[in-house]
Amino acid sequence: HPVGPGLPPLWVGAVVFGVVWTVALVGLGRRPRRRVVLSAWVTAVVAFAFAVVLSRLVVEVPPVATEVRPWTGAYLLVGFAALLVGGAVGVDGLTAQMRARSFSWLQPAAVLAAVAVALVSVGGAAWWVWAGARGPVDRQHLTSIPPYVVNAMRTGGRPRVLALDLSGRSARYSVLAGGQLRLGDADRGFAYAGSTLARQQVADLVVRLVAGTADADIAPELTDLGLGYVWVTGADEDERSRIDNTPGLGTASGNNLGTVWQIEPVVARAALADGSTLAPRGAPPTTVAAGADGRQLRTGEPADPRWRASLDGRPLARVDQGWQQAFVLPAAGGTVTYSLSSLAHWLLLLQGLGLLVAALLAAPAVRRPEVRDPTTSARRAATLSEVG
């Protein structure tokens, strides 16, 4: 296989990792029985073995069933870090040993090796800043989704898409938002920021859609979840017919890659609820007309006490509407703005401060020569001579 995403070209890797292997072998040769050196080598061998095994696997990523190979960079990082630790411990004291020897080819070789290590370290860091930081994760679009659906996800209404994969024995599903699928969506709690109620509601909708219950409540529940489209891949004619019988789903369209149904009427993530009527709203700020008291602005986002909203500068009362955050609107109209306060920018500053402190603590200390008082040295010498 190629060297892998996020890794340098083969010749750069050969130079950099060749120096790492050389230092590690020298350290093992100098202190083969040192416990730290042996532990580092065992760790490196195990990590490289896992990397080799993992590189032979091929997995399918839903909902398009794209075949990819797992990334082995984490195991390679652990393996080469262990080699560096073993090499550093093994070559410790090599400078003093060279000074004690008479001049030979070893001294120039040691100098050349030190220069090579310095150049490799600086060059590797420069390459990572220039090219390595752009990988291994790249943003790619799911080309199987029809372009009009992708464009609709980027409009002010920001509808979500329910993606169903029926190619296997069981139905697999995902909820695609404006950024489509991103690394870590599952760890962050699906597309609804960890809302258990929303996740259960989506799972129930998937079961009812695939079973073909023709339930009239399916479309309103899809609207409540901000799901404006249903995209199905891997379905046969019978499965498509069962989904098509659901009231509220528009006419099916698509190609050999999948079928798309649009929820009717048009769905937006945020909506203005006036009784049983839902009027779609775009991203904040949004304008609302005057109306009756007790209306709600449903954001289409999971409930969180950090949400804040205001109408022309006047704060609005929060209310939880099922899984999502909503705000009570007065009879007056105006411009509504709402946002979720976050400490992310402060956390970035704290992380930068922590890295700076760690770099200062890891920097080599400067040893100052000991300044001796001649008077004190003379007294100590006289005392020692009297004792002797």
Side-chain angles (χ1 to χ4, degrees):
H1 307 305
V3 290
L7 294 179
L10 186 58
W11 66 271
V12 176
V15 173
V16 174
F17 300 128
V19 171
V20 175
W21 277 106
T22 302
V23 173
L25 290 172
V26 171
L28 181 64
R30 291 190 71 246
R31 298 181 178 179
R33 297 182 181 180
R34 188 74 177 268
R35 181 177 299 179
V36 177
V37 176
L38 293 178
S39 300
W41 270 88
V42 171
T43 303
V45 170
V46 172
F48 291 145
F50 273 111
V52 171
V53 173
L54 196 64
S55 66
R56 307 302 301 174
L57 299 179
V58 178
V59 297
E60 293 185 356
V61 180
V64 194
T66 305
E67 293 187 350
V68 298
R69 294 186 182 274
W71 187 54
T72 60
Y75 294 98
L76 294 177
L77 177 63
V78 172
F80 282 106
L83 290 180
L84 284 174
V85 172
V89 174
V91 301
D92 185 29
L94 183 61
T95 303
Q97 185 177 355
M98 288 296 176
R99 291 174 180 173
R101 289 176 173 267
S102 58
F103 185 81
S104 64
W105 64 271
L106 292 176
Q107 281 77 6
V111 173
L112 292 176
V115 172
V117 170
L119 291 178
V120 166
S121 302
V122 175
W127 176 89
W128 188 87
V129 171
W130 175 66
R134 296 181 302 192
V137 180
D138 294 323
R139 187 181 295 273
Q140 296 181 352
H141 297 290
L142 297 177
T143 55
S144 300
I145 305 179
Y148 74 92
V149 177
V150 177
N151 294 332
M153 295 169 64
R154 298 172 180 170
T155 59
R158 302 172 299 156
R160 299 182 175 100
V161 175
L162 176 60
L164 296 176
D165 181 11
L166 304 181
S167 58
R169 296 182 179 179
S170 59
R172 297 181 294 178
Y173 65 92
S174 298
V175 174
L176 309 181
Q180 303 183 24
L181 287 177
R182 296 175 301 175
L183 182 68
D185 276 345
D187 301 325
R188 287 193 297 268
F190 205 44
Y192 297 96
S195 174
T196 304
L197 183 60
R199 181 180 300 190
Q200 293 174 350
Q201 190 173 348
V202 173
D204 179 67
L205 282 172
V206 170
V207 173
R208 289 151 60 191
L209 273 171
V210 175
T213 59
D215 190 349
D217 294 331
I218 291 179
E221 292 182 20
L222 289 171
T223 301
D224 181 67
L225 289 165
L227 295 167
Y229 297 87
V230 177
W231 173 44
V232 180
T233 58
D236 55 27
E237 188 64 30
D238 183 55
E239 291 170 332
R240 286 194 295 267
S241 299
R242 290 201 297 266
I243 297 175
D244 196 46
N245 290 332
T246 304
L249 295 187
T251 305
S253 62
N255 49 32
N256 58 340
L257 297 177
T259 308
V260 177
W261 288 267
Q262 182 178 356
I263 313 302
E264 296 179 348
V266 177
V267 175
R269 191 178 303 187
L272 177 62
D274 189 357
S276 59
T277 305
L278 290 178
R281 283 291 179 271
T286 181
T287 303
V288 296
D293 280 325
R295 297 177 301 167
Q296 291 183 358
L297 177 65
R298 301 178 182 178
T299 62
E301 303 293 345
D304 193 297
R306 296 175 297 170
W307 279 105
R308 296 291 182 270
S310 62
L311 175 64
D312 291 336
R314 300 188 301 271
L316 299 177
R318 295 188 307 107
V319 59
D320 294 348
Q321 181 62 37
W323 63 274
Q324 65 178 315
Q325 186 66 63
F327 297 94
V328 179
L329 292 174
T335 301
V336 178
T337 59
Y338 56 91
S339 61
L340 179 66
S341 59
S342 175
L343 299 176
H345 55 287
W346 295 108
L347 292 178
L348 290 176
L349 292 176
L350 290 177
Q351 291 176 3
L353 181 61
L355 290 175
L356 178 60
V357 172
L360 292 176
L361 294 177
V366 178
R367 295 184 178 181
R368 297 182 178 180
E370 183 181 358
V371 179
R372 296 183 179 182
D373 187 1
T375 306
T376 305
S377 301
R379 290 176 182 177
R380 289 179 181 176
T383 303
L384 291 176
S385 60
E386 291 177 359
V387 172

